[in-house]
Amino acid sequence: MKEQQTMREFFSRMIQEKTAEELERTIADATRMMSYFRCAMLEVETKFRVLNEQFSLLHERNPIESIKTRIKSFDSIRGKLQRNNLPFSLDVIEEKINDIAGVRVICAFVDDIYVLADCIARQDDITVLKVKDYIKNPKENGYRSLHLILEIPIFLSEEKRKMKVEVQLRTIAMESWANLEHRMRYKKNLSEEKLAKTADMLMQCATLSSALDEKMQAVRDIVEEKDGCQI
Ligand code: 0O2
């Protein structure tokens, strides 16, 4: 109910030239689209939970520490459209914004990230549309994560629809770096001086967090024999 109200306020602000009837139709279409994205997000989340369950059966350990999901807010969608010089329309949003539905999978070890990504990519109802490996190629600021844009079908009462979901796979160390950086700096309008000062410090933190991941992985490699994906 609150979500509907927020959407109503948002669209009333965005599309003032529309008639009341057109506005209602747009709100109904947007509500439906977001609901489809939510379904797709749930499907992907479940797939990771199933893999985690099976891993614990096969290997007596859970590769996934936690899973977070989120649907992008319309304010954030509008910001992204503006940054990419795209017009605000539901068709453009559905076609061009890849991370409306987001699933973040936090893993214990770097190896697990690639094993899980491989297992998901091999599922026959999933198409991997894009891979951005910010672990092998970290961003300039030090950000590390493996991003996958997946296309997955959702089965509705009378139709099947393919929806996009962004998956971010990262370790606990990558997650804590990204959360703190996001809170303090990402997309914030800091002065040039503060940007310069903090960039170097954040890069040092990223290097430390990467070293922590490598060391933890090395410990695990000694403790256990490495497993490939046998699912
Ligand atoms: P928010 O506020 O987290 O939603 P694409 O269209 O997918 O090719 P996109 O989405 O612009 O391109 O780029 P990318 O690099 O895949 O980044 C998508 C998301 O990754 C971001 O979403 C962030 O969640 C996260 N991310 C990327 N770079 C950074 C970074 O430097 N620091 C942190 N903390 N997170 C980052 P949004 O919509 O930009 O932001």
Side-chain angles (χ1 to χ4, degrees):
M1 214 49 209
K2 183 163 178 289
E3 201 180 320
Q4 276 278 346
Q5 182 59 25
T6 314
M7 207 180 289
R8 185 170 301 280
E9 283 165 14
F10 179 84
F11 279 102
S12 308
R13 264 186 282 127
M14 283 304 291
I15 44 181
Q16 283 149 356
E17 75 280 6
K18 291 212 176 189
T19 64
E21 203 179 303
E22 284 168 336
L23 181 64
E24 286 311 312
R25 211 174 313 125
T26 306
I27 292 170
D29 288 345
T31 307
R32 199 174 313 115
M33 181 182 82
M34 293 317 250
S35 159
Y36 294 164
F37 275 115
R38 193 165 296 110
C39 295
M41 184 181 80
L42 291 173
E43 290 276 1
V44 172
E45 181 187 7
T46 303
K47 281 178 177 293
F48 280 105
R49 293 202 184 281
V50 168
L51 286 173
N52 202 35
E53 183 73 23
Q54 201 193 358
F55 260 78
S56 63
L57 278 177
L58 290 175
H59 311 299
E60 292 178 358
R61 70 179 191 89
N62 293 111
I64 298 177
E65 289 291 309
S66 60
I67 301 181
K68 296 177 183 172
T69 57
R70 70 106 181 83
I71 292 288
K72 208 173 185 70
S73 71
F74 269 104
D75 274 328
S76 179
I77 292 171
R78 184 190 47 189
K80 198 156 193 170
L81 289 173
Q82 278 170 352
R83 284 196 299 283
N84 293 314
N85 282 322
L86 291 167
F88 187 89
S89 91
L90 294 184
D91 288 344
V92 172
I93 292 172
E94 188 160 1
E95 198 186 324
K96 302 281 186 195
I97 307 286
N98 290 330
D99 64 340
I100 298 195
V103 175
R104 185 174 296 157
V105 182
I106 322 277
C107 296
F109 300 99
V110 179
D111 263 15
D112 293 333
I113 290 175
Y114 290 101
V115 171
L116 286 167
D118 185 47
C119 289
I120 279 287
R122 285 194 285 108
Q123 298 194 1
D124 60 13
D125 55 345
I126 289 225
T127 307
V128 180
L129 299 178
K130 203 192 250 186
V131 178
K132 284 192 190 171
D133 192 340
Y134 293 123
I135 299 175
K136 295 209 167 88
N137 305 296
K139 281 182 62 174
E140 240 174 67
N141 60 0
Y143 175 80
R144 294 181 305 134
S145 275
L146 179 65
H147 290 192
L148 310 175
I149 306 295
L150 305 179
E151 188 177 65
I152 181 168
I154 54 165
F155 295 86
L156 304 162
S157 53
E158 310 214 324
E159 60 170 328
K160 171 173 125 180
R161 285 184 73 102
K162 288 186 173 176
M163 305 299 296
K164 280 185 276 186
V165 177
E166 185 194 66
V167 178
Q168 298 180 348
L169 294 122
R170 38 174 91 149
T171 60
I172 305 162
M174 293 173 199
E175 167 75 349
S176 71
W177 184 95
N179 276 345
L180 294 176
E181 191 264 357
H182 196 281
R183 218 178 296 165
M184 294 187 294
R185 226 180 88 115
Y186 188 55
K187 292 196 280 191
K188 295 246 169 19
N189 290 321
L190 296 183
S191 66
E192 284 300 318
E193 191 195 347
K194 283 190 178 173
L195 277 177
K197 261 191 195 161
T198 53
D200 195 40
M201 291 161 85
L202 278 166
M203 184 44 111
Q204 286 174 31
C205 294
T207 307
L208 286 172
S209 112
S210 171
L212 177 66
D213 277 334
E214 273 174 35
K215 196 61 98 190
M216 284 297 190
Q217 180 73 56
V219 172
R220 201 200 100 191
D221 290 349
I222 292 169
V223 172
E224 299 176 10
E225 245 182 61
K226 276 212 237 162
D227 295 312
C229 173
Q230 290 148 18
I231 294 175

